[in-house]
Amino acid sequence: MIQKEILQSKKKLAFNESALIKEFLKKRDSQSYLQERSKLMDTILSKLWQNLEFKNTAALIACGGYGRQELFPFSDIDLLILIPKKINETLSQKIEQFITIVWDLGLRIGHSVRNLQESKKEIKKDITIHTNLLESRYLNGDKSLYKELKKIIHESIQPIHFYTHKIKEQDLRHQKFNQSAYQLEPNIKESPGGLRDLQMIQWIGKSYIVKFSTQTLIQKKYLSTENAQKLMTTDLFFKGLRILLHIIAKQNEDRLLFDYQNELALLLKYKKIRYKKRSELLMRDVYEAINYTTFINEIILKKLDPNQVIKLSEIPESHFLIGQNDYLEIKPKFQKINIQPYLFEIFLIFQKYKHLKSLGPNLMTKLSAAAEKINLTFRKDKEQQDKFLSILKSNNKVNRSLRIMNKCNLIGAYIPAFGSIVSQMQHDLFHIYTVDEHILNVIRNLRRFAKEELKHEFPDCYDLFKNYRDKYVLYLAALFHDIGKGRGGDHSELGTKDADEFSKLNHLPSHDRELINWLVKSHLTMSHTAQKLDLSDPRVIEEFAEKVSNKERLTSLYLLTVADIRATSPHVWNQWKATLLKNLFKYTLNYLEQDKLSLEDLITQRKEKAALILNTYNIKKSHYKSLWGNFGKNYFYRYMEEEIAWQTRLLFSHLTTNKPIIRVRHRPNGEGIEVLIYQKNSALIFNKTCHFFDEIGYSIAAAKIFTTDHDYALNLFDIIDANPKSISYEGLFKFIEKELTLRLDGSKKSPPQTLSERSRQAIHHTLDTKISILKMDKSPIYQLEVITDDRRGLLSLISDELSKEAISIQHAKINTLGSRAEDTFLIKYEKNKKINEKMLSDLQRKLKLAIE
């Protein structure tokens, strides 16, 4: 084919492709589009094959998605060129020419050239190739070669081997997505509950059932007519969505990225409602389709299992249940039993037998159908209430039971408030899961505290959880802690109301009800205190201790908080946050358990502990008496005894140094490093430090800014390692000490910093920047809180703006939650000048303007 003909063919192809898309956008018939596009490619490829006069020297075969006539706008066109055993030079040149012209036409092909023997070897060796060929379709060339191939494909299938390897393949694919598709940008093809899981049903069915189809599932009573219809509707929903996604992205894109969600929602004519954007309504439908696909995939694949070796085990507690291999299943003769009275009893039996890994497909189908019939009468039934609570009180398989219950829609049916947050998105820039998935992840994390083999993750949480009185209280608090989201208003208050109603309805003891209510209402308190306030200040600990009031509440809140933060996103939790929470727990517990000491006594105690540490270095009180005197009384409110001892060792012989002293060390008992700055007080120390760490790409997690009585700055910065596995710490520490000294003494300046680009999520789901300034009681200090989307350079920018207003920073806590920043500063106007409301309002406005 000469260049001119290729150009003409390319134009014609583009015209036909465009016409198909226009027709699809008009009629929204996804199945028709996929088939027509496949036929268009059939025509082009067959004509080219004929023009090159292959005749019967080889066979052209469509494979994979193209083979089953499901060719999406930017999908690869999978081809097999099947050749005779021996290939001559002429045929080899024709194949090369064919592939070159196909690429010149702009078609994205994935091709292989094999003979029958090679195909047979590949089929035996690679289950993916076997699957790809299972859906092969003849296009042109030698039909006899293709018939031989089909024979090899079907003769090579060993149903049990094929099933086992495809299930393993699916499990590995799911693991790549952390076993969850309930993330904010799901892959609708590959992630759990996507198109691949629907295709798995077809592949397994075709592997040993002749002319397998959805109708086959109905005929074999593997699927009800109603579920079959829902399966086909879900399949068409995903296909239509994927076609639109390709059209919008103009490439082979299967992730529902934030960039496309709103445009897709517009094309699909979603309309925003109160508290929910149109994109959120679209994604809710996507997650519901994912949930159904996950459910139906598990059920059908279990029913299609060709393994005939079935081990049955009796279940003495039930007349209608039986153990079938590692499933709890319903006996065949009880298929029509009314399962409603036994809904929760089934899970108690499941929890009792350790060898049971899941529920059988027939039992899951019955449970899903029964969930729709749960009503207020059922919820008020004392026997059912006791059984549901017994599931939560079990020592075994609590998380697994709740996961299966959610898959069968039982939790949402029994607790209607939970049903309203199933598939609910969260666009706060740090939760990456839907609300229901996040809640179940919190319960999973609580259950991890109970496992001996995972004790190393959180030894203190393991010990606390092991001795915890009624663990079901924590599970219920977890179930309700975010249940109020998506309704507008304070979700903690709304969740507390829902929890209280549930507790009363289910006759929970008053003590447990009050504790659950308090945990739901206060579930953010510990993380806020640990991540925003100065834990070395005994007044902070005293105030937090008054909020929790006793050891039981403290322990409960600590366990729930750790489990909660870890369940938001893999990127939010780190050792820094773990250390903060652990320290807050430890300091508060000490406060609650010891005799109430005055603040003066606490400071005396802190000095004594620091002195004991210094004594181990043979440093006597006479060495540092002058230093402590010049540092002043407030110094001992700002630093812990270990910090005091370290700083004293470094500085007692440099009380009135003329040069900046910078020292760096590993943080004791935690992630990251500490940077100590000591120099004669001057403007812009905090500002220059922020710019320096921005310059070298390190994040400041916290900063204590202190001015001594003799007017020296004594500042401590906590820095998060950029890449702790590939760092020479000795070299890094020396570099920071040398370079930061040059910045602070004015010998060298950091280059100007600008805010980096917003994350894609922040662009498409804007987080309103919130600036709040509160006056601290009986003090010239103000608390400034900045909540916005996190970007590199943010701290330097805030520092620049405060410097312009002659405001000094006394303390900073930098709290990064995924793509969200919640930074808290204690600030003071220079020379304690009087502040009015207008000045504060102007500062808020200027900061917001600079950030946005």
Side-chain angles (χ1 to χ4, degrees), residues 111 161 205 211 323 439 500 507 614 665 708:
H111 73 280
H161 175 269
K211 295 181 180 178
I439 286 172
D500 192 56
H507 312 289
L614 288 165
R665 68 169 181 171
T708 67

Side-chain angles (χ1 to χ4, degrees), residues 517-549:
N517 289 351
W518 182 83
L519 284 170
V520 175
K521 189 173 183 177
S522 309
H523 73 270
L524 297 173
T525 304
M526 190 168 198
S527 61
H528 282 193
T529 303
Q531 295 177 95
K532 295 186 178 185
L533 301 179
D534 182 3
L535 301 187
S536 58
D537 188 339
R539 290 164 294 198
V540 170
I541 303 305
E542 182 179 39
E543 188 178 328
F544 179 71
E546 286 172 0
K547 287 177 182 176
V548 296
S549 75

Side-chain angles (χ1 to χ4, degrees), residues 345-386:
E345 185 181 324
I346 287 165
F347 288 93
L348 291 172
I349 293 169
F350 170 64
Q351 289 177 324
K352 182 177 179 180
Y353 292 90
K354 288 188 178 180
H355 74 282
L356 296 174
K357 301 283 192 329
S358 186
L359 305 188
N362 296 319
L363 184 54
M364 285 181 71
T365 305
K366 295 281 284 183
L367 287 171
S368 181
E372 296 176 10
K373 297 174 183 175
I374 290 178
N375 54 24
L376 187 58
T377 303
F378 182 90
R379 294 183 200 107
K380 286 183 173 180
D381 187 316
K382 186 68 171 65
E383 187 179 352
Q384 297 301 336
Q385 292 172 348
D386 290 344

Side-chain angles (χ1 to χ4, degrees), residues 89-154:
E89 187 65 27
T90 305
L91 179 57
S92 181
Q93 287 174 357
K94 283 184 180 180
I95 292 170
E96 191 175 329
Q97 194 178 359
F98 174 81
I99 292 165
T100 301
I101 293 171
V102 169
W103 279 108
D104 286 344
L105 287 170
L107 299 178
R108 294 167 302 281
I109 63 164
H111 73 280
S112 54
V113 181
R114 290 193 292 262
N115 61 34
L116 288 169
Q117 280 302 111
E118 288 168 339
S119 297
K120 192 172 183 176
K121 281 182 184 176
E122 290 296 324
I123 285 169
K124 286 184 178 178
K125 189 170 69 175
D126 193 330
I127 198 75
T128 306
I129 291 174
H130 198 168
T131 309
N132 194 264
L133 290 175
L134 194 63
E135 298 179 303
S136 61
R137 182 168 55 85
Y138 171 80
L139 292 177
N140 215 307
D142 189 344
K143 274 192 176 178
S144 62
L145 269 178
Y146 178 65
K147 285 180 181 177
E148 282 296 314
L149 177 67
K150 290 296 280 185
K151 189 179 176 184
I152 288 169
I153 291 167
H154 290 291

Side-chain angles (χ1 to χ4, degrees), residues 77 190 268 353:
I77 300 165
E190 299 286 352
L268 292 166
Y353 292 90

Side-chain angles (χ1 to χ4, degrees), residues 590 594 597 602-616 624 628 640-642 644-645:
N590 287 342
Q594 68 186 12
L597 296 175
L602 284 169
I603 294 307
T604 301
Q605 191 180 81
R606 185 172 285 182
K607 286 180 177 180
E608 289 170 353
K609 288 179 179 178
L612 285 172
I613 297 170
L614 288 165
N615 196 49
T616 62
Y624 53 82
W628 281 15
M640 303 298 291
E641 52 266 22
E642 194 281 329
I644 294 167

